Amino acid sequence: MGFSFWREGVNMTNAATETKAQKSERLKRALNPWDGLAEIRRFAGEGFDSIPPEWIGTYFRWWGVYTQGDGAGVVGGQGGVGRALPFFMLRIRIPNGLLRSDQLRTIANLARRYARGTADLTVRQNIQLHWITIEALPEVLEELWRVGLNSIGACGDVTRNITGCPVAGVDADEICDASSLALEADRMLAGNAKFYNLPRKFKISITGCRVWCPYPEINDIGLTALPRVVRGKPEIGFALRVGGGLSTEPYLGVPLNAFVRWNQVLPVIQGVAELFRDSTQLREHRERARLKFLFLRHGWTPDDFQKDLERRIGFQLDPRETEHAPSDVYRDHVGIHPQKQPGYCFVGSAVLRGRITPEQMDAAADLAERFASGELRTTNMQNLLIVNVPRLQADELAKELGEIGLPVSGSPFFRGAIACSGSEFCKLAITETKTFSRWLVEELEERLPGFDQHLKLHVTGCPNSCGQHWIADIGIEGKKLKVNGQMLDAYYFCLGGAVGLHQSIARPVGYRCLATEVPEAIERLLRRYLAYGNTGENLRQFFSRHTDAELRDYLAGQIIAPVPRDLPEGRVPSGVEG
Ligand code: HEM
Ligand code: SF4
């Protein structure tokens, strides 16, 4: 399908009267953006002004490319979207977080040459570059392909990067190494024309670990390994959850009554992807176009879902086995950990809120080669690991990583901080998040020097929850507050989010304060927790034992009336979803 065809398609309807969903559906029908590489090359030759709005707002995303905000976030824009610059963000897809040193070095080079040195490790194990120009884009893509990397399907209405346990294959305690399945699923779906047009984004996570570190619960498909014994024979398969997702309406995946055998994993993934693709109901509203809305809005039960799925795949799934969900899911992989291979360790660096420089990437690649096999991993907690390090050299490696600003230890605040892109680059952002979260961590380290409980501290710049504040112990969502006629950054608190055995969406507790007051509020809250002394109660238990009102009062330092989590009115504008 070439350029002239989609042009025609675009003009066929009266664009003024159509809804956002109708518009995206029309554009998607008119062109599979993965067929448009020649167009991208042409735009690169002719400059930014030659790019039609359909590419800027829609098609580019299929290539992991989306426009960058002007630094003011949503402010100053129109219709709930901020102004964009003639620069792009590029999300590089890293299935299961498996990365080689030569690949990381290539990303470092690209970041230095084309991205003003700005790169972020993301919560789906990707690496995102900023400041990319249209002129540079074809070359950036080609350099990525040369080392086996891709950005295809990193954004857009397609299967996003498939996440998996970053220590698959080396974890001493894993049930199995499921990374081969993540890679096979990636090959089956990324760039496959049969799946280029889904109702919206589609997220898959497959893990063989016991701790569920890639958060299967918040994916459209979450597969977690499970052993069973059939007629005396041990077998490893997977439990299956479907329909998870965060965003403005968080929902944890629904377990189906299924034990998915190893060789059934790909057909099941394909079946769910087809079910999603073929759902016309989900194509009516973009903001309700995720799989979860079959359950939330269209009256589907898990049973209905399973029947539809089994009809598509043509076989019945075995009934589910009892699963032992991990009781306290916190695994940042930071530090030195023994591998299943005797004499070897993996060494995990805490990358503060994911921001990493080209110099750090280069140095990490060199270290991975000098000390190990050149294999690295990216994690869902925005961290970077080096695997297959001989035990005797792990301390020296850790020391060198510390020297390049990638420490293998840190305060619970440093390790637990996650931040979304925020107003620095995102057009939907209400607040700045990356610099703020670094400052927040420094403040908390000063205020609570001996605090030793791990905690997930997630900062997200608007209700879309790219920083996953719904599954954090302390999740804060960006707002604006008017003070003396000036709109200032503020945060709304959601507490007690968890995945695993005690899964729960963080509770909006009715407290909001200026960004500058956040450290003080968290200090007050954590001091109340510490005041309970050495009772053995962890933060999660502390949060679940207290009411919203109590937690709000602890944050505020006094009894106050709850503030609602006022959501912005209207729809999320189409064409800006990350
Ligand atoms: C309708 C708008 C959007 C929604 C509902 C949304 C939602 C989300 C959610 C829930 C995640 C968490 C990933 C997970 O499920 O584990 C995520 C990831 C992310 N989002 Fe957004 N997002 C939106 C727009 C944007 C925009 C405009 C940006 C631009 C900066 C952005 C940047 C990111 C990044 C960098 C990630 C990291 C994950 C990855 O590598 O895929 N998002 N988004
Ligand atoms: S949550 Fe997502 S959409 Fe909102 S500011 Fe952060 S990156 Fe942007």
Side-chain angles (χ1 to χ4, degrees):
M1 230 180 282
F3 181 70
S4 57
F5 180 82
W6 71 259
R7 242 309 135 72
E8 243 166 67
V10 169
N11 290 335
M12 245 147 41
T13 349
N14 180 355
T17 56
E18 62 185 355
T19 64
K20 305 274 184 202
Q22 285 164 343
K23 181 177 172 198
S24 333
E25 290 304 320
R26 170 170 57 82
L27 292 176
K28 287 190 283 179
R29 278 194 306 275
L31 174 77
N32 170 355
W34 290 331
D35 289 337
L37 185 59
E39 293 307 308
I40 296 179
R41 291 209 169 102
R42 188 173 64 78
F43 304 146
E46 295 178 6
F48 190 85
D49 291 340
S50 70
I51 310 172
E54 292 76 22
W55 270 90
I56 294 276
T58 303
Y59 298 141
F60 262 136
R61 289 188 278 135
W62 272 245
W63 291 86
V65 172
Y66 51 131
T67 50
Q68 186 168 306
D70 68 352
V74 76
V75 176
Q78 280 188 336
V81 196
R83 283 183 301 252
L85 296 176
F87 294 95
F88 296 100
M89 298 180 264
L90 177 71
R91 196 177 288 164
I92 302 161
R93 187 180 170 104
I94 307 176
N96 207 116
L98 302 174
L99 189 65
R100 294 190 319 261
S101 50
D102 62 311
Q103 295 174 320
L104 185 60
R105 208 172 277 121
T106 298
I107 298 174
N109 260 326
L110 293 173
R112 195 179 292 111
R113 279 177 21 228
Y114 301 114
R116 301 193 187 174
T118 328
D120 288 324
L121 299 171
T122 78
V123 294
R124 289 192 71 79
Q125 300 177 291
N126 293 319
I127 297 183
Q128 184 159 305
L129 302 179
H130 303 95
W131 297 110
I132 306 288
T133 60
I134 185 63
E135 289 78 9
L137 187 58
E139 193 170 330
V140 172
L141 295 177
E142 273 159 36
E143 289 207 20
L144 291 173
W145 299 337
R146 249 174 255 145
V147 290
L149 287 170
N150 218 323
S151 63
I152 255 192
C155 309
D157 295 352
V158 293
T159 311
R160 300 295 185 87
N161 189 41
I162 299 184
T163 60
C165 175
V167 287
V170 303
D171 174 9
D173 193 37
E174 71 186 354
I175 297 169
C176 66
D177 173 359
S179 60
S180 59
L181 289 172
L183 295 181
E184 282 177 61
D186 180 73
R187 273 192 290 273
M188 175 173 81
L189 296 165
N192 181 343
K194 282 196 196 129
F195 297 100
Y196 90 92
N197 179 0
L198 301 181
R200 261 209 74 189
K201 56 179 151 184
F202 188 54
K203 296 181 178 173
I204 302 176
S205 166
I206 308 174
T207 187
C209 74
R210 287 180 205 276
V211 233
W212 298 4
C213 43
Y215 309 140
E217 301 92 331
I218 59 168
N219 282 264
D220 294 283
I221 300 181
L223 287 155
T224 45
L226 194 60
R228 75 170 180 186
V229 178
V230 186
R231 277 177 246 107
K233 285 214 175 110
E235 180 186 1
I236 289 172
F238 292 84
L240 171 63
R241 284 175 175 68
V242 293
L246 294 176
S247 175
T248 49
E249 229 177 304
Y251 190 68
L252 297 173
V254 182
L256 296 189
N257 183 21
F259 177 92
V260 184
R261 304 179 71 171
W262 193 278
N263 61 347
Q264 296 173 335
V265 167
L266 290 183
V268 162
I269 289 176
Q270 182 172 334
V272 179
E274 285 172 4
L275 186 159
F276 183 48
R277 181 194 62 196
D278 300 345
S279 165
T280 42
Q281 282 170 317
L282 291 178
R283 291 183 189 265
E284 285 162 15
H285 298 278
R286 281 197 70 72
E287 63 281 19
R288 298 202 288 275
R290 297 287 301 277
L291 210 51
K292 64 185 172 185
F293 289 104
L294 289 178
F295 303 118
L296 284 168
R297 293 288 151 81
H298 299 290
W300 283 47
T301 63
D303 213 32
D304 298 331
F305 193 104
Q306 188 154 344
K307 284 208 181 86
D308 193 313
L309 173 62
E310 287 176 346
R311 186 178 53 73
R312 284 168 190 279
I313 57 183
F315 57 87
Q316 267 205 319
L317 293 160
D318 287 357
R320 83 165 145 233
E321 299 281 327
T322 311
E323 217 183 1
H324 300 287
S327 68
D328 198 10
V329 180
Y330 180 89
R331 200 194 203 190
D332 61 6
H333 307 92
V334 168
I336 301 175
H337 304 269
Q339 288 187 189
K340 66 160 77 156
Q341 295 81 5
Y344 287 88
C345 291
F346 69 86
V347 178
S349 285
V351 184
L352 182 57
R353 63 350 176 198
R355 179 64 48 94
I356 190 163
T357 65
E359 293 69 35
Q360 287 172 325
M361 289 190 272
D362 270 338
D366 291 348
L367 291 173
E369 286 171 7
R370 247 176 65 215
F371 284 91
S373 52
E375 285 169 78
L376 300 107
R377 309 278 170 97
T378 52
T379 82
N380 290 77
M381 286 190 73
Q382 303 179 327
N383 290 332
L384 188 67
L385 322 180
I386 296 179
V387 298
N388 297 331
V389 182
R391 173 73 196 96
L392 292 175
Q393 302 200 325
D395 290 333
E396 179 57 25
L397 170 60
K399 195 173 127 261
E400 296 208 23
L401 281 166
E403 284 164 6
I404 57 166
L406 297 175
V408 304
S409 62
S411 72
F413 309 115
F414 190 97
R415 291 171 61 157
I418 297 290
C420 76
S421 306
S423 62
E424 186 184 11
F425 298 120
C426 173
K427 286 183 293 184
L428 300 183
I430 300 173
T431 56
E432 193 288 324
T433 53
K434 293 280 191 198
T435 306
F436 167 77
S437 48
R438 189 183 59 199
W439 171 76
L440 174 61
V441 166
E442 285 162 5
E443 280 285 320
L444 291 173
E445 286 176 340
E446 251 174 57
R447 288 164 186 270
L448 296 156
F451 193 80
D452 63 356
Q453 274 269 328
H454 67 70
L455 90 167
K456 292 209 292 235
L457 176 62
H458 290 214
V459 180
T460 200
C462 85
N464 284 326
S465 187
C466 308
Q468 303 169 328
H469 66 297
W470 294 121
I471 55 164
D473 297 301
I474 301 177
I476 55 176
E477 180 183 304
K479 301 282 169 207
K480 284 278 195 251
L481 275 180
K482 204 171 202 169
V483 181
N484 299 330
Q486 239 193 320
M487 295 303 274
L488 299 181
D489 278 11
Y491 282 96
Y492 188 94
F493 281 76
C494 299
L495 300 181
V499 280
L501 184 62
H502 305 292
Q503 64 172 39
S504 160
I505 295 293
R507 289 140 56 199
V509 294
Y511 184 67
R512 182 183 65 188
C513 65
L514 287 174
T516 48
E517 295 166 353
V518 168
E520 216 172 308
I522 295 181
E523 181 186 356
R524 281 192 292 259
L525 175 75
L526 294 181
R527 285 203 184 283
R528 288 307 284 246
Y529 162 68
L530 292 172
Y532 283 92
N534 200 4
T535 56
E537 182 180 59
N538 67 26
L539 256 185
R540 268 100 7 234
Q541 290 159 330
F542 174 79
F543 287 146
S544 72
R545 194 164 58 76
H546 287 87
T547 63
D548 293 358
E550 286 166 337
L551 294 173
R552 177 170 65 246
D553 298 345
Y554 296 163
L555 283 164
Q558 56 182 319
I559 296 177
I560 56 159
V563 181
R565 197 185 133 250
D566 52 338
L567 281 176
E569 302 256 312
R571 303 202 179 105
V572 176
S574 75
V576 283
E577 295 104 340

